[in-house]
Amino acid sequence: MTELLSIILAAGEGTRMRSAVPKVLHPVGGMPIIGHVARAAREAGSTQIALVTGPKHDAIRKAVTALHPDVVHFEQTEAKGTAHAASMARDLFSTAMGYVAVVYGDHPLLRGINFRAVLDRLDAGLDVAILGFEPKDPSGYGRFITDGDTLLAIREHKDATEDERRIRLCNACILAFRADVFRDLIDKVETNNAQSEYYLTDLVGLANAAGKKVGYGLAPENDVMGVNDRSQLARAEGLFQDVRREDFMKAGVTLKDPKSVWFSYDTEIARDVTVEPNVVFGPGVRIEEGAVIHAFSHIEGAHVGKNASVGPFARLRPEANLGEGAKVGNFVEIKKAEIGKGAKVSHLTYIGDASIGAGVNIGAGVITVNYDGYNKHRTVVGDGAFIGSNASLVAPVTVGAGALVASGSVITEDVEADALALGRARQVGKPGRAKEIFAAAAAKKQAKKDK
């Protein structure tokens, strides 16, 4: 396979987002926009990825490194245009073999197939291939000036004539070159334009002038939409979710109300899973076959085993792990805990930093008291144990297999297997005392009125 260096440009400030967060770090489907671009570059077969950012973009560099540790970083200290930004990656493209693709970093719906639309043209013999599309409204986009299949130039909207602005075929977000052609032309770009900047798109005209073969590939409009403001961010999220919903339903997942279910980029759901309305899947979720996710549940960083049941109104936080046939019911929160095969945590309960064995029954209102103000501690409940309602298990503590914890107990010491544990005050009854208390209260109230 031909070597591919992808240079991602993310040095812009994105001021139209009106945010302290850099534009390309705003998430779509739970992943930063720039992460989607890098992922698409990987899908296309990139052997190296360069990221060009601005001087105040440490957060961008850290976010991309977390997703792709081998990305090589470069900095554009002065904003002089896209060609100038791409030239910052000279240390890589000066020795690159094969192809160089330059891509803008604010396109969250980009896919590897969009890269292939231009890379395949290079495979077919072109020296330069630019990705194009036909938007419903071409205003603001650079226009393709063509002669048949040959791309003669890209005219930025501000520099285009009225006739050129009528052209529907527009510049998208990927420019691909044979590496030697890119090296030869990148430093020949000049600033003869309305912005007095070094335009990457000027490489098209330069390549034609040098006798190179220049053409283009095409992409659907939705795939190449850029994000510049909050409205476009919301639209990108909506388009992303629509694609994910369709993909899951085609794969055998039942979505009772597709529009109300929200997925992350890495959500994994097996066939014959049923998802009821108003469910949110955060990053890092895997759902096994036959599970049911009831309405109004929120799941993040969790695994739900085969035929398990979650919700309604349940919250699974990171490292929640539900075994086969387990049940987590309404108003239950699970965090960093294993819920064993067939175990039931039915309602109004918090289980954190715990291991709950197979077949355990956790009553309503049970709490694992896992935090002492400084450290988290673990609770272990053995197979087949029964934890009565409103019990508090003060970690670190172990309840043995088959044990019974009486309702309302506060358990601070380990419970042996098959033992009964009671950790509550003895009930005391005082005949007639309630009547005396109520009478005294009524008299006090009447005395206030008499004054």
Side-chain angles (χ1 to χ4, degrees), residues 130-183:
I130 314 298
L131 190 64
F133 73 119
E134 294 185 356
K136 296 180 180 67
D137 180 7
S139 300
Y141 293 107
R143 306 307 204 278
F144 276 10
I145 312 300
T146 61
D147 181 7
D149 291 334
T150 299
L151 179 60
L152 301 176
I154 301 176
R155 196 81 70 233
E156 296 299 329
H157 182 86
K158 293 180 180 179
D159 302 309
T161 65
E162 286 302 315
D163 285 342
E164 289 171 339
R165 289 182 181 182
R166 294 189 186 95
I167 296 172
R168 306 291 303 179
L169 187 57
C170 297
N171 183 34
C173 54
I174 304 174
L175 301 90
F177 310 83
R178 294 188 182 278
D180 56 337
V181 173
F182 185 75
R183 272 193 298 272

Side-chain angles (χ1 to χ4, degrees), residues 124-438:
L126 292 183
D127 298 302
V128 179
I130 314 298
L131 190 64
F133 73 119
E134 294 185 356
K136 296 180 180 67
D137 180 7
S139 300
Y141 293 107
R143 306 307 204 278
F144 276 10
I145 312 300
T146 61
D147 181 7
D149 291 334
T150 299
L151 179 60
L152 301 176
I154 301 176
R155 196 81 70 233
E156 296 299 329
H157 182 86
K158 293 180 180 179
D159 302 309
T161 65
E162 286 302 315
D163 285 342
E164 289 171 339
R165 289 182 181 182
R166 294 189 186 95
I167 296 172
R168 306 291 303 179
L169 187 57
C170 297
N171 183 34
C173 54
I174 304 174
L175 301 90
F177 310 83
R178 294 188 182 278
D180 56 337
V181 173
F182 185 75
R183 272 193 298 272
D184 291 343
L185 298 179
I186 187 64
D187 292 327
K188 296 179 181 178
V189 178
E190 298 180 349
T191 58
N192 302 320
N193 53 68
Q195 299 294 100
S196 296
E197 291 184 349
Y198 296 95
Y199 286 163
L200 192 62
T201 50
D202 286 350
L203 289 173
V204 172
L206 291 171
N208 278 291
K212 304 300 181 182
K213 297 177 182 177
V214 184
Y216 58 90
L218 293 174
E221 180 176 4
N222 287 347
D223 287 10
V224 296
M225 77 162 292
V227 170
N228 292 301
D229 56 34
R230 305 281 183 158
S231 177
Q232 291 175 339
L233 180 66
R235 181 168 177 267
E237 184 71 51
L239 291 170
F240 173 88
Q241 295 298 334
D242 285 343
V243 171
R244 293 292 277 159
R245 292 162 185 152
E246 286 298 319
D247 286 347
F248 280 124
M249 288 188 287
K250 289 176 182 176
V253 176
T254 295
L255 304 181
K256 295 288 189 179
D257 179 18
K259 280 290 186 181
S260 71
V261 180
W262 292 75
F263 299 101
S264 284
Y265 70 97
D266 60 350
T267 306
E268 298 180 28
I269 304 181
R271 67 179 183 176
D272 293 326
V273 168
T274 297
V275 183
E276 293 183 355
N278 298 296
V279 172
V280 175
F281 295 97
V285 174
R286 181 165 64 91
I287 312 294
E288 290 193 35
E289 188 172 322
V292 177
I293 313 299
H294 294 285
F296 294 99
S297 294
H298 188 286
I299 305 176
E300 180 179 1
H303 162 249
V304 177
K306 186 175 182 181
N307 297 323
S309 175
V310 176
F313 295 97
R315 185 182 182 197
L316 302 186
R317 292 170 58 192
E319 298 185 57
N321 184 4
L322 276 57
E324 181 178 349
K327 178 183 179 181
V328 169
N330 50 290
F331 304 104
V332 171
E333 180 177 344
I334 308 291
K335 188 271 295 186
K336 202 173 183 179
E338 294 84 39
I339 309 299
K341 181 177 180 180
K344 296 179 180 179
V345 189
S346 294
H347 30 229
L348 303 163
T349 294
Y350 170 71
I351 302 294
D353 297 280
S355 295
I356 307 300
V360 169
N361 186 91
I362 304 289
V366 170
I367 298 171
T368 57
V369 186
N370 58 331
Y371 184 49
D372 62 10
Y374 296 94
N375 298 296
K376 297 290 180 71
H377 302 282
R378 197 156 188 86
T379 297
V380 177
V381 178
D383 294 350
F386 187 100
I387 311 299
S389 295
N390 289 319
S392 294
L393 307 179
V394 183
V397 69
T398 296
V399 177
L404 170 61
V405 172
S407 61
S409 294
V410 178
I411 302 300
T412 59
E413 298 178 359
D414 290 352
V415 179
E416 294 181 5
D418 300 317
L420 167 63
L422 298 97
R424 62 192 184 203
R426 183 179 295 275
Q427 182 173 320
V428 176
K430 295 188 176 182
R433 182 60 178 148
K435 185 176 181 180
E436 295 173 5
I437 291 171
F438 292 146

